[in-house]
Amino acid sequence: QVQLVESGGGLVQAGGSLRLSCAASLRTFSTYVMGWFRQAPGKEREFVAAISWNGGFTYYADAVKGRFTISRDNAKKMVYLQMNSLLLEDTAIYYCAAALGGVVTRRENEYSFWGQGTQVTVSS
């Protein structure tokens, strides 16, 4: 059974940092594109960042570019999202997702597996 389990969410003041982690039980983790998405209250889920199978290519939403960094450790089957200079509008549930195939994409329907999410709340 495939599982993606996020951790590292919490409450942080604006301007602060958090590091999200996602542990994957995918047998062939290194063949998957991994992504982070988020859903703020009352809004649709949106793309945050994605990373290629070997970490050589990353892709960010404009809203987080320069502040967030996605990375992965294939040996540990982990993907991370380092979030710096957090803004109030970064408050959301953050989801880890896995897409089989080589294309680094922001399209949700390309991702086959999803975690349950971790809450990030940024306060003033």
Side-chain angles (χ1 to χ4, degrees):
Q1 184 179 356
V2 174
Q3 276 192 313
L4 299 177
V5 180
E6 303 93 339
S7 61
L11 177 64
V12 62
Q13 284 193 322
S17 298
L18 277 177
R19 188 195 195 206
L20 305 184
S21 299
C22 173
S25 66
L26 296 160
R27 190 165 57 88
T28 55
F29 175 77
S30 62
T31 64
Y32 284 81
V33 168
M34 298 300 296
W36 287 96
F37 292 77
R38 68 186 182 185
Q39 186 167 20
K43 295 187 176 181
E44 293 188 352
R45 189 160 57 188
E46 64 176 3
F47 169 77
V48 175
I51 188 167
S52 61
W53 67 273
N54 65 351
F57 182 80
T58 56
Y59 180 31
Y60 297 94
D62 288 345
V64 306
K65 202 173 295 182
R67 300 188 297 120
F68 290 11
T69 302
I70 188 171
S71 61
R72 67 189 295 162
D73 184 334
N74 284 345
K76 295 181 179 178
K77 297 186 178 182
M78 297 288 295
V79 63
Y80 307 99
L81 186 68
Q82 178 67 44
M83 306 186 295
N84 299 329
S85 302
L86 283 161
L87 305 172
L88 296 179
E89 50 263 44
D90 293 320
T91 294
I93 299 173
Y94 283 72
Y95 298 91
C96 173
L100 185 60
V103 178
V104 178
T105 177
R106 65 184 300 141
R107 296 191 297 188
E108 287 191 36
N109 61 0
E110 299 288 344
Y111 288 83
S112 303
F113 303 108
W114 292 81
Q116 293 299 307
T118 185
Q119 176 71 49
V120 172
T121 303
V122 183
S123 65
S124 59

